[in-house]
Amino acid sequence: MNYTYIVKCADGTFYTGWTNDLEKRIAAHNSGEGAKYTRCRRPVELVYYESFETKEEAMSREWHIKHLSRKRKLELLGTAKN
């Protein structure tokens, strides 16, 4: 299984990525071995994920989510404020 995920960083920003091992990837982010973006924004909290059969699907969804505005990401998370 492959996953596209969003984590909320300690500074309130979001990071979107993809992986084939969600638990291991979140642990890597929190240990400082994940993405450069999250290293100085720890701890991170998993707030959203989707499952896909192929890595190509997960990577495509990651690309689409990364191009959403913050408002649209909040709507995706179900936490948009009206």
Side-chain angles (χ1 to χ4, degrees):
M1 198 52 77
N2 297 277
Y3 305 92
T4 300
Y5 64 91
I6 301 174
V7 294
K8 184 176 182 180
C9 300
D11 65 358
T13 60
F14 295 114
Y15 174 83
T16 303
W18 79 273
T19 184
N20 59 8
D21 188 335
L22 197 52
E23 288 182 25
K24 184 177 177 181
R25 186 65 175 149
I26 301 306
H29 282 301
N30 280 318
S31 71
E33 297 176 7
K36 185 176 180 181
Y37 183 84
T38 61
R39 285 184 197 150
C40 61
R41 294 173 170 87
R42 295 179 285 155
V44 302
E45 173 189 0
L46 179 65
V47 293
Y48 182 84
Y49 72 92
E50 296 177 17
S51 305
F52 298 95
E53 290 293 322
T54 68
K55 91 174 185 180
E56 291 78 18
E57 291 173 302
M59 291 172 74
S60 175
R61 183 63 173 146
E62 173 195 19
W63 185 90
H64 285 92
I65 291 174
K66 282 186 172 185
H67 287 84
L68 295 176
S69 66
R70 181 174 177 84
K71 180 180 177 184
R72 296 291 253 184
K73 288 177 187 173
L74 288 169
E75 289 172 358
L76 179 65
L77 299 175
T79 60
K81 295 182 177 156
N82 297 328

